[in-house]
Structure formats: structure tokens, C-alpha cells
Amino acid sequence: MSGETTAVIRGRVYGTVQLRHTERGTPAARFTVMQVPREYDRTRGQWRDGEPVPVICTVTGPLARHAAECLTDAVHVIATGNLALRAGLLHLDSAQVGVDLAHHVAYIDDTLPAVLAGRAPAPAPRAAPEPAPRAEPRPAAAPAAAPAHDWWQSPPRRSWDAVTAPSRTGR
């Protein structure tokens, strides 16, 4: 649709997430995110919190169920969607909502520790049996060709300037 304003909202959930179902049974959740802008005070030479801006977020479908289960008061979130001004309040019809990993650790079903998931911890791995000796030695493997520049293997740099400076090797 034309004329929509897509926005990214970053803030804290304020209050509880309300979960309802439409007449057709589709879940819909609604919650408020308080976005507090940071402003630089030149007279004091420091950052300070600005006036909080409440944004009412609405999500539907499976995202609504997940939001109602995961989000609680004061959780830092990042939400994207279509922003609209209705009756003097900002509304975000959210397409995506996530926990802000800058402030929280988030687990998904596959990474949830066994103790928290309510299941027995996985047994400790057993030591692998020693392989039987081979009659013939294996031929030596050819060394793998190293990439031209592997950032992970490079030594740490003393300053950021070394990373952002133009390369002198002519690449």
C-alpha cells in the first residue's frame, strides 16, 4: 500500500502484553513500547534521556502468540512495521518484533538449556574408542589453501586506524 511509513522502534515494553483472538480465531497481541530518545546536552557536555514516546504495537498470527509468551514489562525490544498516528497516539502495526540482544540473552527452542526446558540434561559424551591400527599409512593430505585475507586468522591490531587505512599492498 502506498503512503505507509515504515519505522523501526527500539525501547522497553511498558506493562503487559494483551492477547486476544479475532472472531475467526486469529491471535492478536497489543503492547506498548516506550521509546526514550537520547539527547546531548551541550551545556553540561553529557547525554541525557529525552521525553518518553509511547508507541502502541499490534501483532497478529503466530507472532502474537510468541510476543505474549516472551515479552514482559521492561523487556528491551526492537519492532518494525507501519507507523500511523491515530487519535493522537503512535501505532505500529508490527511486521517483526524481537528482543534487543544488546540488553538481553535470548534462547530459542533448540538452544534452551535442558534445565530451563524441564528435561534431563544430555549425558556427557563418552570417549571415542581408539581406532584399530591400519596396515598401510595414509598419504599425507595436501595443505588447504589459505584465503588471501582471513580476518579471523589475522593477528589483533593495535588500533582501528590499521583496519580502516587504505591497503598498501595494492589490492
Side-chain angles (χ1 to χ4, degrees):
M1 294 165 69
S2 64
E4 293 179 341
T5 303
T6 303
V8 176
I9 302 296
R10 221 177 140 198
R12 287 182 170 200
V13 174
Y14 182 77
T16 59
V17 178
Q18 302 168 5
L19 180 65
R20 306 258 164 79
H21 290 82
T22 65
E23 294 159 354
R24 294 184 177 197
T26 304
R30 187 176 188 176
F31 55 96
T32 302
V33 173
M34 289 299 247
Q35 185 176 18
V36 180
R38 300 282 290 164
E39 299 170 346
Y40 189 73
D41 186 350
R42 291 179 190 253
T43 58
R44 294 184 180 162
Q46 62 187 6
W47 288 91
R48 65 178 180 86
D49 289 342
E51 189 67 31
V53 177
V55 179
I56 299 169
C57 296
T58 306
V59 293
T60 58
L63 181 57
R65 285 195 309 270
H66 297 168
E69 186 172 335
C70 298
L71 302 180
T72 59
D73 189 40
V75 170
H76 291 264
V77 294
I78 300 172
T80 63
N82 296 323
L83 190 64
L85 184 64
R86 298 182 200 132
L89 295 172
L90 287 174
H91 288 260
L92 184 74
D93 293 328
S94 301
Q96 300 162 343
V97 176
V99 175
D100 189 348
L101 295 179
H103 299 277
H104 303 285
V105 173
Y107 294 105
I108 59 172
D109 295 339
D110 296 339
T111 63
L112 188 63
V115 173
L116 296 176
R119 60 181 189 266
R126 294 186 296 178
E130 297 215 12
R134 294 180 170 241
E136 297 177 19
R138 287 191 217 175
H149 178 66
D150 185 4
W151 183 83
W152 290 104
Q153 300 299 326
S154 64
R157 297 199 167 74
R158 294 178 191 237
S159 74
W160 186 248
D161 295 335
V163 175
T164 58
S167 174
R168 295 180 189 192
T169 61
R171 283 192 233 172

